[in-house]
Amino acid sequence: MSDITASGEALPSGKNVRELVHQSLGRRHRQETIFKSMGLVAILVALGFVAILFSIMLTKGLPAFWQANLHTQVYFDPDIIKGGPRPVQEAGQSDADYRQQDLAWQRQVTLSNWNAIVEQTVRDVAPDTDAEKRDILAIITSSARFKLRDMYVEDPSLLGQTVPVTLLASADADNWVKGKLARDLPDERQQLSRSSRDLADQLLADGDITFDFATHIFTNVDSRSAPASAGLAGAFMGSLYMMMVVIVLAVPIGVASAVYLEEFAPKNRWTDLIEVNINNLAAVPSIVFGLLGAAVFINYFGLPRSAPLVGGLVLTLMTLPTIIIATRSSLRAVPPSLRQAALGLGASRNQTVFHHVLPLTFPGILTATIIGVAQALGETAPLLLIGMNAFIANIPASPLDSATALPVQIYLWQANENRHFFEARTSAAIIVLLGLMIVLNAIAIVLRTRLEKRR
Amino acid sequence: MDIVQDKTAETAKSTPAPGTSDPGKRIRVSTRDVSVFYGEKQAMFDVSIDIPDRSVTSFIGPSGCGKSTFLRCINRMNDTIDGCRVSGVVELDGEDINRPDLDVVELRARVGMVFQKPNPFPKTIYQNVAYGPRIHGMTKNKAELDEIVVSSLQRAGLFEEVKDRLDQPGTGLSGGQQQRLCIARAIATRPEVLLMDEPCSALDPIATAIIEELIDELRENFTIVIVTHSMQQAARVSQKTAFFHLGKLIETGDTEQIFTNPKEQKTQDYITGRFG
């Protein structure tokens, strides 16, 4: 013990101390108030921006989920529809033979003048219109004729019958009846002819055109010939394949690297170097990963362009540092006393890690995974460099087929020349993407609290 | 960890350590000239001690004197500390435990340990006790494992309190119960030696009394080494006492003799509270 030297003269005495403390109190309270209010302002500003973002997104995007549809009757005119009755498989006819015959019949059916049927269908509800055929077809989406053909191929007994049908209005007509286009513009600056516009107005006034929920946004792929029917299904599947690749590759590799570095690797210059590099990788701009993907996966390994597999590989590289860093920090948070308990009982290093340490880090790893996946889901730049911004009109059947991704679809739509229609479409796609993100984050929170409760 | 063997087992056996001349008891653990280094810094200096079978040996000394470090030499827990190096000979039943071909897993199954802070696994009470026997493959079937779990909990004096909630998490018990669970967990692997590193320092006096009683019972079957800050505790539970100071073993002998008639001036000063 060191003894305390008594030098009381230099120090303030009892009453003085109380005064000094009282003086300093005012300053301390002021500092606290300033800091608190600054924090509050910061949060309010952040919340304000989020509110602005969401209100713009929702006011612009939500109307796009309801599109103009024409409700009418279609007459499957036997004079127009070619091909005759559908062939029936005869006894003794081989399957391949029959399929060929059936395809020939379908081809004949497709060659029929379906546009004439579409025109007649519209005239049924607006018999006194002065519009010509092309004016009428301009207000119905060009994919309507395929819809009618598919109805007929599905059920050839419709020939000669009249059935109710709902036809999607074209993007131009949708813009017009939603009032997005200035009505006082001269004819030559309008997308639709005067008679088309009048017809659309008449159909809307008569209640034949209504605004229905556009399920095809979720079930259709992108379309340039019939923009009104463009949907997100292809982009969604592309994103889904990529996320599967990311989860399958990034989670095991990331967790294994983190466990090795944290629990097994000796602490020396090499592991320090690796750690620095992992932290640096997390800060590499994503477009650089795209270049790497194009150079390595496509040029060197010869993987197909625009494929979700390549996109998934690139996003895996991007997600790995996130997962490694987060897993390592949750491993570090496991108390050392737990490791000692297991080691003291004679558990090997491996048993200690897998029986006791790793189970405690599951919530952390799960959160890291979902944050990483959500980040990858929203990533656009690297995908542009590996060709995933191509226009793809098919739903990819496998991760090797050409596809696009949700954020890339947003990028493509925002650049579409039909501004009035695709501005809302873009916002709608953003709503879908943000919705997915919110769902992913909600899953992360629910799973984490559930796993933590179980302990 | 590097092991420097500068003395052979033969020379170690031929020179008995001072102060441990009890002809009645077999020597279980014996160390010769054990030094421990943390990096460049030497923490223990040439410690030689014999620990007799089926009795309680306590290590006392002021904070930082190296008694816990020395305890960890006996089950090689110092291996897990980066930059820690042990030299000298530590023998368990005449067998050098730092031998390169000895698996540390096997050693730790024979030398159990109870830590300063209760550290049950965040699993059920049953799983806590069953873990050791399970990983060492000590039981053939569930019935045998159940028996070990029950008997270990009984010996740790915890069974009556937890018999209805073996499937509840061990972390939900009180501090004293947790420490008894850790003792049950340690004795479930039927170790020959049980090391206790200040097992009562985080407990209240009542829980401490229960653990001390338990230690007294356990000594019939185990060789117990206990590190303690409390001289009263050392006097109550141990038969042998070793006094450490600044990394050196100052004096060792029967507890009664150490507390009533110490040979060294430093021991005298410490037990009378003149420093520490």
Side-chain angles (χ1 to χ4, degrees):
Chain A
M1 294 288 149
S2 60
D3 48 345
I4 300 152
T5 40
S7 56
E9 301 92 55
L11 293 168
S13 63
K15 204 182 166 194
N16 274 337
V17 169
R18 276 180 63 189
E19 266 168 35
L20 287 171
V21 169
H22 194 75
Q23 280 167 14
S24 75
L25 262 185
R27 201 179 61 238
R28 280 185 267 178
H29 286 317
R30 252 194 325 278
Q31 280 173 343
E32 201 175 306
T33 318
I34 290 170
F35 185 77
K36 262 192 199 161
S37 49
M38 266 163 46
L40 195 67
V41 167
I43 284 183
L44 286 179
V45 167
L47 278 179
F49 279 122
V50 170
I52 290 170
L53 175 79
F54 270 81
S55 59
I56 289 179
M57 210 72 70
L58 292 175
T59 48
K60 280 202 166 177
L62 282 181
F65 286 104
W66 281 267
Q67 266 184 265
N69 282 284
L70 177 65
H71 301 274
T72 172
Q73 307 273 324
V74 62
Y75 173 55
F76 287 93
D77 191 343
D79 295 339
I80 299 177
I81 297 169
K82 295 192 244 174
R86 187 174 201 160
V88 186
Q89 189 167 17
E90 285 158 34
Q93 190 181 21
S94 74
D95 279 352
D97 212 30
Y98 168 69
R99 208 174 303 129
Q100 208 133 49
Q101 204 184 342
D102 193 55
L103 279 175
W105 172 77
Q106 283 190 28
R107 216 169 293 129
Q108 282 297 310
V109 171
T110 307
L111 285 174
S112 314
N113 190 0
W114 287 100
N115 278 343
I117 295 185
V118 173
E119 180 194 354
Q120 192 53 50
T121 305
V122 179
R123 281 194 196 283
D124 278 351
V125 283
D128 49 355
T129 178
D130 62 340
E132 288 171 29
K133 180 176 181 180
R134 56 185 293 262
D135 297 326
I136 289 178
L137 290 178
I139 67 163
I140 300 296
T141 179
S142 61
S143 59
R145 57 181 194 267
F146 302 117
K147 179 179 175 167
L148 296 180
R149 179 206 58 189
D150 290 347
M151 276 172 75
Y152 176 68
V153 168
E154 194 79 7
D155 181 12
S157 69
L158 289 174
L159 194 68
Q161 291 192 39
T162 304
V163 288
V165 70
T166 303
L167 297 179
L168 194 60
S170 69
D172 291 333
D174 188 70
N175 282 338
W176 178 255
V177 293
K178 275 182 179 162
K180 284 189 194 164
L181 301 174
R183 299 208 158 221
D184 50 4
L185 281 179
D187 277 2
E188 65 270 19
R189 290 188 59 193
Q190 290 282 7
Q191 297 286 333
L192 292 171
S193 66
R194 174 169 295 281
S195 48
S196 294
R197 274 148 36 209
D198 290 346
L199 177 60
D201 284 340
Q202 185 200 332
L203 291 171
L204 183 68
D206 293 349
D208 295 312
I209 283 182
T210 56
F211 296 103
D212 302 333
F213 188 74
T215 46
H216 60 265
I217 288 186
F218 303 100
T219 55
N220 276 8
V221 290
D222 194 13
S223 173
R224 293 183 74 82
S225 58
S229 67
L232 287 166
F236 178 80
M237 284 309 290
S239 280
L240 190 70
Y241 283 132
M242 286 198 294
M243 293 312 110
M244 289 197 304
V245 173
V246 168
I247 290 172
V248 165
L249 290 178
V251 175
I253 296 175
V255 172
S257 320
V259 168
Y260 177 75
L261 284 173
E262 200 57 40
E263 300 287 333
F264 294 98
K267 303 274 173 287
N268 56 29
R269 222 183 310 159
W270 290 110
T271 45
D272 283 349
L273 191 74
I274 291 171
E275 180 160 0
V276 168
N277 272 303
I278 288 173
N279 290 339
N280 279 343
L281 271 186
V284 169
S286 58
I287 199 147
V288 177
F289 283 103
L291 271 176
L292 178 115
V296 175
F297 298 128
I298 294 177
N299 274 351
Y300 189 75
F301 289 113
L303 291 171
R305 262 162 297 172
S306 309
L309 177 69
V310 179
L313 287 170
V314 170
L315 295 180
T316 297
L317 293 179
M318 276 193 51
T319 315
L320 265 178
T322 312
I323 293 186
I324 293 177
I325 291 169
T327 306
R328 287 189 74 175
S329 69
S330 56
L331 282 170
R332 244 174 265 149
V334 173
S337 67
L338 193 71
R339 293 185 184 88
Q340 285 183 350
L343 290 172
L345 273 178
S348 65
R349 195 80 85 84
N350 215 40
Q351 286 171 327
T352 305
V353 170
F354 284 94
H355 294 172
H356 300 293
V357 179
L358 215 46
L360 288 188
T361 60
F362 276 161
I365 293 174
L366 195 85
T367 316
T369 304
I370 294 186
I371 289 173
V373 166
Q375 205 182 342
L377 181 65
E379 198 53 69
T380 323
L383 303 182
L384 301 181
L385 288 174
I386 55 165
M388 291 196 77
N389 55 341
F391 169 74
I392 312 287
N394 282 318
I395 294 181
S398 80
L400 284 166
D401 290 349
S402 294
T404 185
L406 281 174
V408 180
Q409 188 69 70
I410 292 171
Y411 170 78
L412 291 174
W413 278 355
Q414 66 81 32
N416 191 291
E417 61 279 7
N418 193 341
R419 291 302 315 137
H420 287 289
F421 187 72
F422 273 99
E423 214 168 61
R425 238 337 120 90
T426 309
S427 295
I430 292 172
I431 291 172
V432 171
L433 184 62
L434 284 182
L436 277 178
M437 300 271 192
I438 290 171
V439 167
L440 273 178
N441 282 321
I443 292 174
I445 292 167
V446 168
L447 283 177
R448 191 178 53 201
T449 45
R450 196 170 284 182
L451 278 174
E452 275 172 353
K453 236 182 243 163
R454 209 192 289 164
R455 249 188 270 163
Chain B
M1 189 192 73
D2 305 311
I3 293 142
V4 185
Q5 275 181 266
D6 47 7
K7 297 258 172 157
T8 61
E10 305 315 316
T11 54
K13 263 178 200 160
S14 57
T15 47
T20 51
S21 49
D22 189 342
K25 297 269 185 178
R26 190 159 70 93
I27 298 303
R28 207 70 209 241
V29 178
S30 154
T31 73
R32 289 296 172 273
D33 301 319
V34 169
S35 297
V36 182
F37 304 83
Y38 290 117
E40 290 301 302
K41 194 176 156 275
Q42 187 165 1
M44 304 289 310
F45 299 86
D46 302 322
V47 175
S48 300
I49 190 170
D50 288 334
I51 293 166
D53 193 22
R54 285 162 204 256
S55 63
V56 180
T57 304
S58 62
F59 292 174
I60 59 169
S63 292
C65 68
K67 51 196 191 302
S68 291
T69 300
F70 183 65
L71 189 77
R72 285 200 302 268
C73 292
I74 302 173
N75 68 346
R76 282 177 59 182
M77 278 302 270
N78 284 329
D79 289 19
T80 61
I81 299 167
D82 272 332
C84 184
R85 192 162 60 85
V86 178
S87 71
V89 180
V90 181
E91 287 180 347
L92 174 62
D93 288 335
E95 227 183 317
D96 181 6
I97 65 161
N98 289 321
R99 222 170 59 223
D101 62 323
L102 180 129
D103 196 324
V104 71
V105 165
E106 195 192 323
L107 171 72
R108 289 182 192 147
R110 291 171 62 192
V111 183
M113 189 159 191
V114 176
F115 295 86
Q116 186 170 355
K117 242 182 81 194
N119 55 355
F121 299 130
K123 297 177 191 254
T124 67
I125 293 171
Y126 183 94
Q127 283 171 332
N128 260 286
V129 183
Y131 184 69
R134 201 176 268 162
I135 56 169
H136 295 307
M138 286 175 172
T139 53
K140 283 189 211 74
N141 51 45
K142 180 87 168 63
E144 274 184 41
L145 191 62
D146 286 350
E147 203 188 308
I148 288 188
V149 169
V150 170
S151 69
S152 305
L153 284 170
Q154 275 168 343
R155 280 164 115 180
L158 189 63
F159 185 68
E160 285 305 314
E161 292 161 58
V162 299
K163 63 183 174 190
D164 300 324
R165 46 177 174 149
L166 291 177
D167 57 345
Q168 301 281 310
T171 41
L173 298 173
S174 75
Q177 287 174 327
Q178 284 190 14
Q179 194 62 300
R180 276 181 282 154
L181 177 63
C182 291
I183 293 173
R185 181 177 69 186
I187 61 182
T189 54
R190 296 179 201 153
E192 297 156 32
V193 180
L194 191 57
L195 309 178
M196 298 179 139
D197 190 356
E198 299 181 34
C200 301
S201 66
L203 306 180
D204 63 74
I206 294 169
T208 302
I210 295 172
I211 302 260
E212 282 179 6
E213 221 169 279
L214 174 61
I215 291 171
D216 207 44
E217 283 164 24
L218 290 175
R219 111 180 120 93
E220 288 170 23
N221 295 297
F222 300 97
T223 302
I224 295 174
V225 185
I226 178 171
V227 166
T228 176
H229 262 309
S230 151
M231 280 176 283
Q232 290 80 0
Q233 185 172 61
R236 282 195 298 265
V237 299
S238 67
Q239 288 76 52
K240 296 270 176 190
T241 296
F243 172 60
F244 289 83
H245 182 55
L246 296 176
K248 293 195 177 85
L249 177 63
I250 304 297
E251 186 172 353
T252 169
D254 289 340
T255 302
E256 212 183 307
Q257 174 251 313
I258 294 275
F259 279 96
T260 54
N261 185 24
K263 290 184 187 122
E264 301 287 329
Q265 184 59 39
K266 270 191 187 137
T267 318
Q268 171 85 36
D269 290 350
Y270 182 68
I271 60 172
T272 52
R274 224 161 285 166
F275 76 94

